[in-house]
Amino acid sequence: MKVGIIGAMIEEVTPLIETFRRLHCSISQEQLGGNTYYKVKIGEKEVYIAYSKIGKVHAAITASVMIAHFGCEKILFSGVAGGLAKDLKVGDLLIASKLCQHDVDISAFGHPLGFIPESSTFIQADSALNALAHKVAKQMGKNLKEGIIASGDQFIASESKKMWIIKEFGADAVEMEGASVAVVCNAFNVPFCVFRSISDSADGGADVSFDKFLESAAKVSAQFTLEMLKALGYALEI
Ligand code: ADE
């Protein structure tokens, strides 16, 4: 089996690569399309890991390469997000039920916000992977929330923009990559799920909070991703 793990920033994948180094897994690297792909061998199975760089276009490149070039059969996204829902606090872990692009707007032609003809406003994450995630969380005794993730090429750091995204999309969290990975995986029929740990509240203090909590929140999501790999049959002694 080949699973691809994508983060947007180096901080989001470093805890994973450090763990595989510590476990003396065989790791090789390949450069492609401006990114480094780490191939990790765990028994008979392989994991591909890369950080895409920030934003929907970069994440779409990485997801496409993982699927079409490396042959990944499942994609897990691990990283941080801004919390929109009131009950989401820094360090909480959220899994996407479905994802949308909050910055898509062709409403001038009568289309709903976020909608692209021949596509859809929302793309559902894989129900089997999400169900597995809830099982893993239960075993870990960890509180895992599930909700709508809105992605866009903007760092949201204002109460008014935050409220607009909640109103228009009913979103629980905001980030800059998940929906584009969803579009790619959906197009290739590859099951995916998106984990995000909260780094900020997407309000006026989001930039300061993001800088302060990026590393710790990224570790929460990476730790959970490792447990998911175990549940997917990877022989990891962590
Ligand atoms: N990722 C983490 N926090 C975010 C925010 N406030 N806006 C967009 N992406 C984010």
Side-chain angles (χ1 to χ4, degrees):
M1 194 194 348
K2 291 183 188 176
V3 171
I5 302 173
I6 306 175
M9 301 173 69
I10 194 164
E11 290 84 351
E12 291 169 326
V13 299
T14 297
L16 296 166
I17 293 163
E18 277 179 354
T19 301
F20 294 128
R21 289 220 167 97
R22 192 165 39 78
L23 295 174
H24 304 292
C25 297
S26 141
I27 306 178
S28 56
Q29 293 181 31
E30 193 173 325
Q31 313 282 333
L32 198 62
N35 293 113
T36 303
Y37 293 83
Y38 295 85
K39 176 178 160 184
V40 183
K41 283 216 79 165
I42 304 163
E44 291 305 299
K45 299 187 171 75
E46 288 165 4
V47 182
Y48 288 84
I49 305 173
Y51 74 93
S52 58
K53 301 190 282 286
I54 292 167
K56 292 189 292 166
V57 174
H58 288 127
I61 293 173
T62 304
S64 302
V65 166
M66 286 219 173
I67 294 167
H69 181 76
F70 292 114
C72 291
E73 299 149 291
K74 294 184 198 311
I75 297 286
L76 313 181
F77 193 103
S78 176
V80 304
L84 303 179
K86 283 201 177 68
D87 64 335
L88 283 175
K89 306 274 177 291
V90 167
D92 284 355
L93 189 63
L94 177 86
I95 187 170
S97 52
K98 56 184 183 176
L99 302 99
C100 62
Q101 300 182 59
H102 66 72
D103 56 355
V104 163
D105 182 353
I106 45 173
S107 58
F109 297 93
H111 295 296
L113 289 172
F115 178 77
I116 294 176
E118 297 183 55
S119 184
S120 59
T121 305
F122 291 99
I123 295 181
Q124 304 279 342
D126 182 66
S127 56
L129 282 175
N130 277 17
L132 186 66
H134 284 293
K135 194 172 151 197
V136 167
K138 203 169 172 196
Q139 280 164 1
M140 291 170 78
K142 190 162 183 61
N143 188 10
L144 175 67
K145 292 173 179 148
E146 182 165 332
I148 297 173
I149 291 185
S151 309
D153 288 317
Q154 300 158 8
F155 183 84
I156 306 301
S158 90
E159 194 65 30
S160 59
K161 191 73 205 247
K162 169 179 171 170
M163 296 318 286
W164 180 85
I165 295 170
I166 296 173
K167 176 169 73 73
E168 295 297 339
F169 299 99
D172 296 287
V174 69
E175 37 85 311
M176 302 177 70
E177 297 83 18
S180 65
V181 171
V183 169
V184 172
C185 291
N186 193 49
F188 285 97
N189 261 319
V190 168
F192 74 94
C193 61
V194 177
F195 309 117
R196 293 283 188 172
S197 176
I198 302 302
S199 56
D200 58 84
S201 297
D203 53 12
D207 51 343
V208 175
S209 181
F210 180 89
D211 281 345
K212 189 166 171 198
F213 296 112
L214 165 64
E215 268 187 50
S216 58
K219 276 185 191 153
V220 170
S221 183
Q223 190 58 45
F224 191 77
T225 303
L226 290 167
E227 295 296 333
M228 276 296 284
L229 286 181
K230 271 172 47 181
L232 286 167
Y234 284 85
L236 279 171
E237 300 289 328
I238 45 170

